[in-house]
Amino acid sequence: MSEIQPLSPEMIRRYLDEDEAEYDVDEDDNFVFEYDHDEECDCELTVWLSIDEGDTYALEVANEKSFPRSEWDRFLEICNEWNRNERYPIAYLDTDDETPDQIEIRLDYYVYLPSGATQKQISDLTEEFIENSFDFWKWAHREHGL
């Protein structure tokens, strides 16, 4: 399928099915899947893929790790260093109302595609985003001990 099509959840589903991924669709219509623990980055990643407002491909990654909020400044510097040197994913800090004394590092990338995309573009974007997300955590583990 090399023709440009309007963005749709079906494009994400096709990518995941072709990749033989095990995934769920959550209550917000996000496609969600997890990776087993990776020794190189010492982490387990969860990925969310969705179409936002009909014209934006939203890709997000979370790690199972959380960190003390007292380390906010250190982790902010780590995220800023990554964002200064890499195009995507964007790294940022996030908090949860249920655990206000903890922070998480999140990664995301939102691609505005009002004219649509080809299936290959969606597949390539997804693969590269996931690969770069692992690269972030490998770098953070190697360089910063996360």
Side-chain angles (χ1 to χ4, degrees):
M1 296 194 147
S2 61
E3 77 181 46
I4 293 177
Q5 324 167 35
L7 291 180
S8 71
E10 189 55 38
M11 295 177 87
I12 298 170
R13 187 179 310 279
R14 272 195 300 265
Y15 161 75
L16 293 169
D17 289 345
E18 287 172 12
D19 200 44
E20 298 180 359
E22 291 185 31
Y23 62 90
D24 291 311
V25 180
D26 68 14
E27 65 278 354
D28 297 322
D29 293 326
N30 296 305
F31 292 82
V32 183
F33 56 98
E34 297 176 348
Y35 286 91
D36 292 333
H37 186 266
D38 184 288
E39 292 296 323
E40 220 176 331
C41 62
D42 189 31
C43 63
E44 296 170 21
L45 301 183
T46 301
V47 178
W48 290 268
L49 305 173
S50 63
I51 305 300
D52 189 26
E53 298 185 15
D55 58 10
T56 302
Y57 186 31
L59 306 98
E60 302 177 50
V61 165
N63 188 341
E64 87 289 354
K65 293 181 181 182
S66 61
F67 306 96
R69 192 176 186 110
S70 60
E71 295 287 321
W72 183 279
D73 291 341
R74 176 175 174 244
F75 291 110
L76 186 60
E77 286 180 24
I78 291 168
C79 291
N80 285 343
E81 181 180 344
W82 173 267
N83 294 337
R84 223 179 0 261
N85 296 314
E86 302 297 331
R87 188 175 353 177
Y88 60 91
I90 301 297
Y92 61 94
L93 301 180
D94 195 22
T95 59
D96 184 344
D97 291 341
E98 293 180 22
T99 54
D101 57 336
Q102 298 288 307
I103 58 174
E104 295 178 0
I105 296 176
R106 296 273 183 153
L107 306 171
D108 71 27
Y109 189 56
Y110 290 78
V111 185
Y112 180 60
L113 298 165
S115 298
T118 66
Q119 184 64 51
K120 180 166 177 19
Q121 288 171 319
I122 294 300
S123 297
D124 289 350
L125 263 170
T126 307
E127 289 291 324
E128 190 166 345
F129 170 78
I130 292 169
E131 182 178 309
N132 289 354
S133 295
F134 273 99
D135 287 347
F136 169 85
W137 282 106
K138 289 173 188 173
W139 168 81
H141 181 64
R142 183 181 62 248
E143 299 294 323
H144 300 284
L146 302 186

